[in-house]
Amino acid sequence: MIPASFEYRRAGSVEEALGWLAEDPDSTKLLAGGHSLLPLMKLRLATPGVLVDVGRIPGLNYVRDDGDHVAIGALTRHRDLEVSDVARGHVPLLAHVAGQVGDPQVRHRGTIGGSLAHGDPASDLPAAVLALDGTMVVDGPRGRREVQAADFFRGFLETALAPDEMLTEVRVHKAPAGWGFQKFNRRAQDWAIVGVAAVVNGDARVALVNMGPTTLRARATEEALDAGANIADAAARAAEGLDPPSDLNGSAEYRRHLATVLVRRALEEATAARG
Amino acid sequence: MSATMTEDTPAKGVVGTRMLRREDPALLSGEARYVHDLVVPGALHMAVVRSPYAHARVTSVDVSGALGMPGVAAAFSGADLAGEWGSAMPCAWPVTADMQSPPHFPVALNEACYVGDAVAVVLAGSQAEAQDAAGAVAVVYEELPAAVDLEDAASDRVLAHSDLSSNRAYTWELTPDADAVTRAFDAAAVTVKERYVQQRLIPAAMEPRGVCVVPQPFGGEYLVYSATQIPHILRTMLGITAGVPEERIRVVAPSVGGGFGSKLDVYAEELLCLVLSRRLRKPVRWSEERSEAAQATIHGRGQVQEIELAADTDGRVQAVRVRLLADMGAYMQLVTPGVPLLGAFLYHGVYDVAAYSFTCTGVFTNKTPTDAYRGAGRPEATYAIERAMDALARKVGTDPAEVRRRNFIGADKFPYASAAGLLFDSGNYEGALDAALELVDYEGLREEQARRRGQGASKLLGVGLSSYVEMCGLAPSRVLASLNYVAGGWEAATVRMLPTGKVQVVTGATPHGQGHVTSWSMIIADKLGVSPEDVEVLHSDTAVSPLGLDTYGSRSLAVGGTAIALAADRLIDKARLLAAHRLEVAPEDLELSSGQFSVRGSPSSAMALGALAFEAFTAHDLPQGMEPNLEASATYDPTNFTFPFGTHVAVVEVDAETGKVDLVRYSAVDDCGNQINPLIVDGQVHGGIVQGVAQALFEEAVYDDDGNLLTTTFTDYLVPAASEVPSFSLGRTVTPSPSNPLGVKGIGEAGTIASTPAVVNAVVDALSHLGVVDIAMPVTPERVWRSIGAAAPGTGGGR
Ligand SMILES: Cc1cc2nc3c(=O)[nH]c(=O)nc-3n(C[C@H](O)[C@H](O)[C@H](O)COP(=O)(O)OP(=O)(O)OC[C@H]3O[C@@H](n4cnc5c(N)ncnc54)[C@H](O)[C@@H]3O)c2cc1C
């Protein structure tokens, strides 16, 4: 439970953080809320030589109404997102999901940037951002680029971010209605055994938590809905083509079953919410 | 004797009131100091190198790599330390004369017998340096086959220790009348035969263990700080095992953050810190980490139970027959073999049963040793009988409440001599059942259940009962002798009044969260007419309270509290003689009220205890032959156990699609005799219920086939939190115990004993119309989903 020794640097700006990251990207890690990284370090599953603490960089904690979309600073804490009026009004799915992450302690420390950059298939916010078809704003030595959520989550703890890049902002389209979220766990504070974020606004996007190596879309369900299937029939296909993990909380078979139930419930919620 | 449920009994003094706990401000503000908080300059930190194999020969241990690491002062293998031990680690409960117990040393000599068994230690200037260096100790293992599954281990297919000829450590039987049992089963119209698995549990006290041994600069003594429930027992055992004269060891338990039995033990790390501080002449300390605690601190439960009931067609039970396999783990810890015996007498529960048979075989496996865990033996017994009673109710087609009613030991039968050989002190089991059913609106729930089933609702309702009795207040020393336990069960106390009228109470009980300080001061406040704040309670330090047998088995109040009351009475007796002398009257003419002796009939002639304490201190004018000071001691050895009882009712909603169980309501009516502080009783019941719910729904120490523990973090080992339980409806009946002058019974374990079967019975009840009769613990959503699918194919459940 004691991490291997490391050097700690506190960045005052994105430029400073990127500069230190560039010095030795492979053994340097950004530290935001620390609630994914520090547990790995304590178990010595991660042993970075240098930690660049970005947590106190000013100006990166915001939820802003940008007209057709909402922009969220990478250092926005889950709790700030949960109670943000802008988020509640324009992307209530995101505010709601932020309120479902872990426990109050985690929500007051963890950041949306850290949650997305970590690329954990069991995390909730990536599924919400994927269902909202969000855009990641990434800064790095080669300048700024934007990555669609659909291209961002690559594999287990793997994203489109290069080791020398930093995620600075997330943008999501406004979706005030037509959303549903289902998180199935055994204790309120736990990660999802399976989770579902659904957005139904004309077309339907259904994203799944913990149904594969990374955050995924339930493509078969989405296609069925596009083709006019009813919710129950479409949801029955939620796990098609997916290879969810087996662990102490549930076998792959059980997760497949849960996905069908939870996708149905999330879609029912979404359509009911749309009225 | 009263069966009516009480609001708190109106209190005449402080006892019986809901006084806030005196210890809480320090605990809540962070002022309390735990072992890890102690600042000890110059201390070496110990890290333990542990076997990654469940069973392996330790071929070689090379510590030279560690010795070269920064800050490292020393490192030792088991062989390096072999000369330090006066004896192997202690087991105080050899339950049978022929019990097998392989020698257990703090660092394994040449065979590691579970994942976590120590194979080397490293000492360094900081905890981080010690842990870094532990990774540099080179150990060569030759892996051996491991006995992991309990029933498989019992077959001796694989031996858990290569120098044992069988994994079976002992077989202990309690069958007072074998013929009667056989006759009852032969004649039974209805029989029930059930098999239940008590999964292993990880105690997970909020504070992991910690030890710090400081050799004293003068006198060659050792000051041992340990996060322990048993400083007194620990001192004796440390002396014997480490070969240090007992009087040279002082054990202090600072604030201790919970134990639940897991700190009722003598652990390798305590012994290691002592002998290493002796060897290196430096303070040596060790603080357990959470994942380390999962495998290096004892586990609880771990049994396979087979229970049979013989009954008539009305469901009246004539005989109970029980066969257990009990998982000892790799070694016998302090009371490992005796844990099943604490339940052995209680498998007929609260029911009037004429014939009884119990057999238990203790079995070694290559897993963490088991030992006492909240309830120790009694939760297992209550689970088996209460689940079996529901099975019986189903078989004879009767409501579970009714089948219990038909079998209760009647309130008029106490003291009740049980077929298993105990004398139940007092009880009114039907009274507690009635009160619990009323509290939860049982009839209304049954109607709602039927309504939901009729509508095919996806949220099914289940109601589960558990009526329990337990034996606690451990224990009459003579009974312990008959069970082969090597210590007694008494408790010691001293009460002294200081010159200013303040009171010091010395107790041999060892609080670690229960609120002894509050309860003891309340007892004294009423006895001596002082305010509770004027009472100082000294405890948990063998130099201050040299005599004691510590805290476990819901014994502190019934045994230790009684000792306090008796010592106070003796102090009063002495004060009465002094008052009589000063007031020039006969002692019999004095009456004591609110701390004041006054002369019967002439109340103006009076003396307060405080003033008498001063007189006794100055000793200027004492009666002939009276010694100075108001101080008295008592050692109380109980004449019987106490037998708390009650009924708990759990109400669950089961999501038939996902299998998720929500505990939506819970009512508990407990009877612990007289209550010193009902608020503390509530707290014990709350925590107890949740700990039992944890076994029913959440917790399990899971091992893989190779004997690796998979649940070493709180992400995998699911301890429920407040969000997983509803607000509890608590009620109480008060049936004082005739066995002690306070009329108290004990409440530390009752909640845990009662709640597990109530919850599982509720889940099975919710699904019974589908044909589900049992679900293994913990009742996970997936298990529920699978059992629905297996019982009712086509309903959507999995198989
Ligand atoms: C007990 C517990 C329970 C939890 N339960 C849940 C849950 O139910 N659902 C859930 O979704 N999450 C849960 N979490 C995770 C939590 O939400 C984390 O806070 C979050 O996943 C990571 O955010 P962070 O700011 O703490 O990131 P950190 O731990 O600081 O960093 C995580 C990773 O992202 C990188 N990183 C951080 N910020 C950036 C950035 N701006 N640009 C590039 N890389 C970056 C870091 O280098 C690191 O590799 C839980 C955590 C804990 C400890």
Side-chain angles (χ1 to χ4, degrees):
Chain A
M1 293 292 147
I2 298 180
S5 70
F6 56 87
E7 190 189 327
Y8 172 87
R9 296 182 198 164
R10 183 184 297 166
S13 66
V14 172
E15 294 66 38
E16 190 173 30
L18 289 175
W20 284 334
L21 211 44
E23 285 174 19
D24 186 0
D26 289 331
S27 70
T28 305
K29 275 276 178 199
L30 300 183
L31 175 73
H35 269 53
S36 287
L37 183 54
L38 295 184
L40 290 181
M41 290 172 61
K42 287 183 173 188
L43 294 169
R44 301 202 175 189
L45 294 172
T47 53
V50 180
L51 271 195
V52 174
D53 186 349
V54 296
R56 304 194 198 195
I57 296 178
L60 282 181
N61 181 349
Y62 56 84
V63 183
R64 197 172 58 218
D65 183 345
D66 267 357
D68 66 335
H69 68 266
V70 172
I72 302 139
L75 290 177
T76 306
R77 312 270 175 194
H78 306 327
R79 172 68 184 169
D80 295 334
L81 185 56
E82 179 190 353
V83 299
S84 148
D85 288 336
V86 173
R88 285 183 172 182
H90 298 300
V91 273
L93 169 64
L94 211 48
H96 174 78
V97 172
Q100 301 295 304
V101 173
D103 55 32
Q105 224 173 329
V106 175
R107 295 198 286 274
H108 279 88
R109 294 300 302 172
T111 66
I112 188 167
S115 182
L116 298 171
H118 195 54
D120 187 334
S123 288
D124 302 307
L125 284 165
V129 171
L130 188 59
L132 288 163
D133 198 20
T135 303
M136 319 295 172
V137 179
V138 175
D139 285 295
R142 297 164 297 281
R144 170 166 288 202
R145 64 193 182 106
E146 293 180 7
V147 185
Q148 290 306 113
D151 302 323
F152 188 75
F153 304 107
R154 293 277 172 84
F156 185 70
L157 304 188
E158 195 193 325
T159 68
L161 285 168
D164 57 0
E165 287 180 319
M166 176 170 168
L167 174 63
T168 47
E169 187 177 277
V170 187
R171 295 179 190 151
V172 288
H173 303 288
K174 290 184 175 174
W179 61 276
F181 183 71
Q182 290 283 319
K183 177 171 181 172
F184 187 85
N185 54 15
R186 288 172 64 192
R187 298 177 305 177
Q189 71 195 73
D190 283 328
W191 303 83
I193 296 173
V194 174
V196 179
V199 175
V200 184
N201 273 329
D203 58 345
R205 271 186 309 274
V206 180
L208 301 173
V209 179
N210 231 344
M211 281 298 290
T214 187
T215 308
L216 298 161
R217 299 265 291 272
R219 295 283 183 196
T221 295
E222 292 178 355
E223 282 161 18
L225 287 172
D226 281 348
N230 66 27
I231 286 179
D233 291 344
R237 300 183 54 194
E240 249 179 54
L242 301 184
D243 186 15
S246 281
D247 58 31
L248 293 177
N249 284 317
S251 64
E253 184 194 4
Y254 180 54
R255 281 197 162 85
R256 279 203 186 85
H257 164 73
L258 280 180
T260 63
V261 175
L262 300 175
V263 165
R264 193 196 74 227
R265 290 181 183 177
L267 287 170
E268 283 167 356
E269 244 176 33
T271 44
R274 205 166 43 148
Chain B
M1 189 179 291
S2 142
T4 16
M5 203 164 62
T6 55
E7 299 294 315
D8 295 345
T9 319
K12 288 196 251 12
V14 182
V15 167
T17 64
R18 297 180 163 257
M19 194 179 109
L20 291 182
R21 302 199 330 165
R22 294 181 61 200
E23 36 284 86
D24 286 344
L27 293 172
L28 296 175
S29 65
E31 192 190 309
R33 285 286 167 274
Y34 300 85
V35 172
H36 189 78
D37 298 322
L38 302 176
V39 176
V40 180
L44 293 173
H45 294 255
M46 177 174 80
V48 180
V49 181
R50 300 184 183 279
S51 169
Y53 297 106
H55 197 191
R57 210 177 310 287
V58 180
T59 314
S60 76
V61 178
D62 179 1
V63 299
S64 59
L67 290 173
M69 301 274 289
V72 172
F76 303 102
S77 68
D80 296 336
L81 297 177
E84 301 284 347
W85 310 119
S87 75
M89 285 174 62
C91 171
W93 203 340
V95 292
T96 60
D98 62 353
M99 184 183 89
Q100 298 202 65
S101 180
H104 181 196
F105 287 95
V107 182
L109 292 176
N110 38 41
E111 191 171 319
C113 292
Y114 66 99
V115 173
D117 208 355
V119 294
V121 291
V122 177
L123 294 120
S126 72
Q127 198 177 2
E129 287 168 331
Q131 289 188 10
D132 281 346
V137 173
V139 184
V140 179
Y141 297 95
E142 180 193 325
E143 207 180 336
L144 298 169
V148 180
D149 174 74
L150 173 57
E151 286 171 301
D152 186 43
S155 78
D156 285 335
R157 188 183 61 83
V158 171
L159 290 177
H161 290 262
S162 44
D163 51 2
L164 285 185
S165 54
S166 168
N167 293 327
R168 291 166 174 255
Y170 68 84
T171 293
W172 190 90
E173 181 165 10
L174 171 70
T175 307
D177 186 344
D179 290 345
V181 176
T182 312
R183 276 197 310 273
F185 275 94
D186 287 347
V190 177
T191 57
V192 166
K193 183 172 183 176
E194 299 281 297
R195 176 184 179 278
Y196 304 121
V197 176
Q198 296 281 332
Q199 79 271 33
R200 276 176 169 249
L201 301 176
I202 296 175
M206 207 180 286
E207 180 206 18
R209 291 185 295 122
V211 198
C212 179
V213 178
V214 187
Q216 298 299 289
F218 310 106
E221 297 186 348
Y222 299 92
L223 176 49
V224 177
Y225 296 99
S226 183
T228 182
Q229 298 174 225
I230 52 161
H232 299 93
I233 297 172
L234 181 60
R235 177 167 94 136
T236 304
M237 293 302 182
L238 286 177
I240 295 170
T241 313
V244 177
E246 185 181 359
E247 80 284 0
R248 291 172 60 189
I249 301 174
R250 171 179 173 193
V251 178
V252 176
S255 287
V256 176
F260 312 112
S262 72
K263 294 171 183 166
L264 186 197
D265 229 309
V266 176
Y267 281 104
E269 296 82 4
E270 292 169 316
L271 289 156
L272 284 165
C273 287
L274 177 61
V275 304
L276 291 168
S277 80
R278 173 175 66 189
R279 186 156 169 158
L280 303 169
R281 294 307 305 163
K282 284 201 169 157
V284 175
R285 69 190 304 167
W286 169 79
S287 294
E288 187 175 51
E289 301 204 306
R290 183 56 69 184
S291 295
E292 192 177 26
Q295 51 196 28
T297 291
I298 62 98
H299 290 176
R301 318 283 187 257
Q303 295 184 353
V304 175
Q305 310 175 301
E306 191 185 288
I307 182 167
E308 293 171 276
L309 308 182
D312 65 19
T313 44
D314 293 334
R316 284 199 178 73
V317 182
Q318 317 295 339
V320 174
R321 183 160 56 203
V322 176
R323 286 187 204 85
L324 292 190
L325 288 181
D327 187 347
M328 305 285 99
Y331 302 101
M332 299 303 191
Q333 283 278 352
L334 192 63
V335 298
T336 304
V339 170
L341 273 59
L342 291 170
F345 301 84
L346 294 174
Y347 278 82
H348 66 81
V350 283
Y351 310 113
D352 193 356
V353 172
Y356 189 77
S357 172
F358 170 94
T359 315
C360 172
T361 298
V363 179
F364 290 111
T365 57
N366 292 111
K367 293 182 289 193
T368 293
T370 60
D371 208 324
Y373 174 57
R374 201 170 190 173
R378 290 149 292 163
E380 296 92 317
T382 305
Y383 185 83
I385 182 66
E386 285 306 285
R387 293 290 323 280
M389 288 304 278
D390 268 28
L392 177 63
R394 281 192 298 274
K395 207 152 188 178
V396 298
T398 310
D399 184 87
E402 176 57 24
V403 96
R404 285 172 170 77
R405 242 180 250 291
R406 285 180 194 167
N407 285 287
F408 279 141
I409 299 164
D412 55 348
K413 292 210 173 161
F414 292 91
Y416 171 81
S418 79
L422 293 176
L423 191 68
F424 288 20
D425 56 354
S426 62
N428 183 349
Y429 302 151
E430 190 160 16
L433 175 79
D434 287 339
L437 295 184
E438 192 187 316
L439 202 54
V440 81
D441 183 18
Y442 188 66
E443 295 303 319
L445 286 167
R446 287 288 176 216
E447 284 162 22
E448 167 72 8
Q449 179 181 51
R451 197 182 58 74
R452 290 200 198 183
R453 283 180 183 174
Q455 293 174 344
S458 74
K459 287 275 173 83
L460 299 167
L461 195 69
V463 188
L465 304 182
S466 162
S467 294
Y468 74 96
V469 61
E470 59 143 329
M471 52 189 259
C472 67
L474 307 182
S477 299
R478 294 158 67 106
V479 177
L480 292 178
S482 74
L483 295 174
N484 271 11
Y485 184 65
V486 299
W490 48 264
E491 194 48 83
T494 299
V495 177
R496 78 173 65 97
M497 247 182 149
L498 304 177
T500 55
K502 308 280 182 190
V503 183
Q504 274 185 333
V505 171
V506 183
T507 178
T510 303
H512 42 284
Q514 298 87 347
H516 293 41
V517 169
T518 302
S519 300
W520 285 197
S521 4
M522 291 171 79
I523 293 171
I524 290 297
D526 279 2
K527 286 272 184 198
L528 304 184
V530 296
S531 99
E533 292 71 39
D534 289 335
V535 181
E536 184 191 17
V537 180
L538 303 172
H539 59 81
S540 308
D541 178 345
T542 60
V544 174
S545 110
L547 292 177
L549 286 171
D550 307 310
T551 287
Y552 43 86
S554 303
R555 71 187 301 273
S556 287
L557 181 59
V559 189
T562 298
I564 300 285
L566 293 178
D569 287 342
R570 286 182 187 167
L571 182 145
I572 290 168
D573 289 345
K574 179 174 180 181
R576 180 185 298 273
L577 295 178
L578 178 55
H581 171 73
R582 299 303 298 264
L583 296 169
E584 300 183 330
V585 292
E588 310 80 66
D589 291 338
L590 290 172
E591 53 191 16
L592 176 66
S593 156
S594 305
Q596 175 121 333
F597 281 110
S598 54
V599 180
R600 232 180 287 273
S602 63
S604 59
S605 187
M607 259 189 112
L609 270 174
L612 290 165
F614 188 71
E615 299 291 335
F617 164 72
T618 63
H620 292 172
D621 181 11
L622 301 181
Q624 196 62 40
M626 179 179 278
E627 292 178 3
N629 290 314
L630 283 189
E631 175 179 297
S633 295
T635 302
Y636 176 66
D637 196 346
T639 52
N640 191 3
F641 297 95
T642 61
F643 296 84
F645 62 90
T647 290
H648 287 207
V649 186
V651 184
V652 299
E653 260 179 14
V654 180
D655 182 332
E657 281 189 302
T658 62
K660 178 147 184 181
V661 174
D662 273 328
L663 186 59
V664 291
R665 273 161 77 185
Y666 197 97
S667 82
V669 173
D670 297 285
D671 193 322
C672 57
N674 292 333
Q675 301 174 70
I676 304 300
N677 184 334
L679 184 66
I680 289 184
V681 174
D682 282 1
Q684 290 292 325
V685 172
H686 280 188
I689 292 171
V690 181
Q691 224 157 353
V693 169
Q695 176 171 17
L697 298 180
F698 296 102
E699 297 183 12
E700 177 174 19
V702 182
Y703 282 86
D704 69 12
D705 293 344
D706 296 327
N708 296 300
L709 181 62
L710 303 179
T711 49
T712 57
T713 73
F714 284 153
T715 330
D716 296 314
Y717 189 79
L718 305 188
V719 179
S723 40
E724 277 65 62
V725 289
S727 197
F728 305 128
S729 318
L730 303 187
R732 229 144 271 153
T733 60
V734 176
T735 311
S737 171
S739 321
N740 62 64
L742 295 174
V744 298
K745 291 194 164 181
I747 196 65
E749 296 157 298
T752 314
I753 289 167
S755 61
T756 309
V759 172
V760 179
N761 278 341
V763 178
V764 172
D765 180 64
L767 305 174
S768 60
H769 64 302
L770 303 174
V772 173
V773 295
D774 186 29
I775 304 179
M777 295 191 292
V779 177
T780 62
E782 177 162 1
R783 281 184 175 152
V784 172
W785 172 68
R786 286 186 187 281
S787 58
I788 292 173
T795 56
R799 248 152 300 156

